[in-house]
């Protein structure tokens, strides 16, 4: 079946080259001060596409030694795909039915995701506070250059993922939903890559379909797929690198696949700093794949790979902000205050090991969750009962999970948000399908070394998150990357059990699979259609509005739906300040500040007088006392202190 992956090779190869082209064009336009010009983008993309098309034939001929690859010769017949699905279904109807049920649930959820992405404005906290404001600042100055801001997260995060958002925003006619669509498309391509990896592991279509669908029905995967969060592009580039390196090992043996894998790693590192935590996991899988193919790489192969890594670093990593952060703050990760807030301090090897184990225990407790279930008293009691043994076990092991320790927030073992953009973890799919799938894969799948490497990759990522960063309850979206390593192994559960003398084992496995699939489907569909801030339908008393979410057409309401009490402050500002005004901010807390820019980013918001010619000053009581004529704009809580906001016409 690996030889039938030609369409996936082509699709993901095009995606890799296209996103690389977007990065090259974006950084070039930023250098020219033309980042905000749609026509410049179109011209740049056309030039890069022409260069890629002209060089494609030559590069493929050079890298394949002038011979047409086995995959290209065999091609792909869709009729063969459907014929194989039919054969697999007849051979194992129960497994086939469950696989199709998972796929249909995923399809329904993705339709809901698409409607939410294109019909509703973004609303989660991080997007409103620094992700969308960051995009607005880059566009208003026409480049990715450093700018003064009121929140360091607007400038320290790497710029690759934001460049994709700029592209999506401009190519959709400067629509906010274009930013969310970028994330959603990245999630679809991630699932497509997982599907391909699972096929290479099992040689079967229906189990691979079940594996990809299971990953796509995880609560955290669903939640971040339609937000402007920067995590999903990283997830896509990492899973594509896994696909290409496993593809190289499984069938083709072409150097071209390894080079694409290296470029995808470089793009991931340029998208967001969290990709650095995935490097040990990627290294484990790369090593396992190389072990079986080590004799095929000569000196020229290694030299080509080194040159590709250097090229990827120059094109995708250095311009993303590593050098700029080092120049501005003396460290590639940003200023010391920011690093202290998010990174575990140098507390000595013994203390660091204990803190890492404590964080691992905290996240393990979060993994035992019912994310996706309806938010009811019964659900809360069930989850508390499930987590109680783990909390007690951690306490007996001497791990102070309930203590503040080095965490950003105190750990709450009963924390539960049914389907929340910021707080959801994977939900039941991790315990019911991914972990059992990893165990079964060790004994059922032929390539045991690769299976071990994928499991090790998941463990290394968990430890990297626990040992490098302070605990916080918003880490659930980062753990969507566990699906990249454990998700493909779910396919082992949906492969028919080998026949033995007793039928009790297969019958028990089928009963478990039926129960687990029903729970995962229920959680995924409920989470997709009834997420906390965007349920398709709500009755009075269950959330902050009644009726369909799509009836709420007011843009400001949509943007504030995660924090409606603040909407009056933004309405007052919007009614007072002209749509095209330049406003200077002084000591203004950043929460939900994206709304100040106005629809279409018509206003210019600056944080230093040298950035423009302001007509208005928005300041807090932390900056100075109000004068006669200053217009009160409401109050806001920042770092535990209540601040009054005022607007002054200059």
């Amino acid at each position: 079946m690996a030889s039938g992956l030609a369409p996936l090779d082509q699709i993901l190869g095009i995606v890799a080259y296209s996103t690389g082209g977007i990065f090259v064009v974006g950084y070039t336009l930023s250098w020219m001060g033309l980042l905000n010009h749609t026509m410049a983008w179109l011209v740049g993309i056309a030039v890069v596409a022409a260069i890629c098309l002209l060089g494609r034939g030559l590069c493929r001929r050079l890298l394949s030694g002038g011979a047409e690859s086995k995959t290209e010769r065999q091609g792909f017949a869709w009729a063969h795909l459907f014929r194989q699905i039919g054969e697999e279904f007849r051979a194992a109807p129960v497994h086939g039915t469950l696989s199709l049920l998972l796929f249909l649930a995923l399809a329904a959820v993705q339709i809901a995701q698409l409607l939410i992405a294109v019909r509703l404005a973004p609303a989660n906290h991080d997007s409103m506070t620094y992700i969308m404001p960051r995009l607005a600042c880059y566009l208003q100055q026409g480049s990715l250059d450093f700018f003064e801001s009121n929140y360091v997260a607007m400038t320290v995060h790497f710029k690759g993922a934001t460049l994709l958002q700029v592209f999506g925003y401009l190519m959709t006619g400067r629509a906010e939903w274009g930013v969310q669509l970028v994330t959603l498309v990245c999630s679809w391509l991630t699932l497509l890559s997982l599907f391909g990896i699972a096929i290479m592991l099992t040689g079967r279509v229906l189990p691979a379909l079940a594996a990809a669908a299971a990953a796509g029905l995880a609560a955290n995967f669903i939640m971040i797929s339609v937000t402007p969060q920067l995590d999903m592009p990283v997830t896509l580039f990492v899973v594509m690198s896994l696909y290409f390196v496993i593809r190289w090992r499984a069938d083709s043996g072409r150097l071209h696949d390894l080079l694409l894998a290296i470029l995808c790693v470089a793009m991931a590192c340029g998208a967001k700093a969290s990709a650095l935590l995935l490097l040990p996991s990627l290294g484990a899988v790369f090593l396992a794949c190389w072990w079986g193919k080590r004799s095929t790489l000569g000196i020229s192969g290694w030299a080509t790979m080194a040159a590709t890594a250097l090229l990827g670093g120059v094109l995708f990593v250095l311009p993303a902000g590593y050098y700029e952060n080092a120049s501005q703050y003396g460290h590639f990760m940003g200023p010391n205050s920011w690093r202290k807030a998010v990174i575990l301090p140098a507390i000595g090897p013994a203390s660091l090991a204990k803190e890492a184990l404590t964080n691992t225990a905290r996240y393990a407790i979060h993994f035992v969750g019912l994310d996706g279930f309806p938010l009811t008293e019964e659900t809360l009691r069930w989850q508390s009962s499930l987590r109680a043994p783990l909390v007690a076990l951690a306490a007996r092991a001497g791990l102070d999970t309930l203590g503040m320790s080095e965490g950003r927030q105190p750990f709450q073992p009963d924390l539960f948000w049914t389907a929340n953009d910021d707080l959801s973890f994977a939900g039941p799919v991790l315990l019911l399908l991914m972990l059992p799938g990893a165990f079964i894969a060790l004994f059922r799948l032929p390539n045991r070394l690769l299976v071990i490497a994928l499991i090790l990759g998941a463990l290394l990522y968990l430890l990297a998150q626990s040992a490098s960063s302070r605990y916080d309850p918003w880490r659930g979206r980062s753990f969507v990357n566990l699906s990249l390593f454990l998700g493909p192994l779910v396919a082992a559960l949906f492969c028919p059990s080998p026949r033995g003398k007793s039928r009790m084992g297969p019958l028990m496995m089928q009963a478990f699979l039926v129960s687990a699939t029903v729970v995962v489907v229920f959680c995924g569909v409920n989470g997709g259609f009834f997420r906390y801030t965007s349920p398709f339908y709500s009755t009075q008393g269950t959330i902050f509005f009644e009726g369909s979410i799509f009836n709420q057409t007011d843009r400001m309401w949509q943007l504030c739906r995660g924090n409606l009490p603040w909407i009056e402050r933004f309405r007052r500002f919007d009614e007072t300040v002209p749509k095209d005004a330049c406003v200077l901010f002084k000591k203004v807390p950043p929460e939900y500040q994206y709304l100040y820019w106005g629809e279409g980013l018509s206003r210019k918001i600056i944080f230093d007088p040298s950035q423009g010619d302001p007509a208005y000053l928005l300041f807090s009581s932390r900056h100075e006392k109000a004068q006669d004529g200053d217009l009160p704009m409401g109050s806001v809580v920042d770092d535990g202190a209540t601040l009054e906001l005022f607007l002054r016409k200059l």
Side-chain angles (χ1 to χ4, degrees), residues 72-146:
E72 292 169 331
R73 288 197 309 269
Q74 292 187 346
F76 185 88
W78 288 105
H80 173 72
L81 171 68
F82 291 111
R83 185 164 55 249
Q84 180 162 346
I85 290 177
E87 293 173 356
E88 292 177 7
F89 189 89
R90 287 189 293 271
V94 174
H95 295 81
T97 300
L98 295 177
S99 299
L100 292 177
L101 177 61
L102 284 168
F103 174 73
L104 291 175
L106 176 68
V109 169
Q110 294 309 311
I111 292 173
Q113 298 278 80
L114 180 60
L115 289 173
I116 291 172
V118 301
R119 293 283 301 276
L120 301 176
N124 73 302
H125 178 271
D126 286 357
S127 301
M128 295 296 95
T129 300
Y130 75 89
I131 295 175
M132 294 298 289
R134 180 187 201 220
L135 179 143
C137 287
Y138 285 146
L139 288 175
Q140 74 182 16
Q141 69 181 15
S143 72
L144 300 171
D145 294 343
F146 177 83

Side-chain angles (χ1 to χ4, degrees), residues 87-96 99 202 204-207 440 444-445 490-499 506 509-510 513:
E87 293 173 356
E88 292 177 7
F89 189 89
R90 287 189 293 271
V94 174
H95 295 81
S99 299
T202 64
R204 295 173 178 269
V205 178
L206 283 177
I440 295 296
R444 189 172 292 180
L445 298 187
V490 172
L493 282 175
F494 291 85
C495 292
S497 303
R499 294 187 177 183
M509 176 60 74
Q510 289 182 6
L513 272 184

Side-chain angles (χ1 to χ4, degrees), residues 168 329 374 521 552:
Y329 305 116
V521 166
Q552 311 295 330

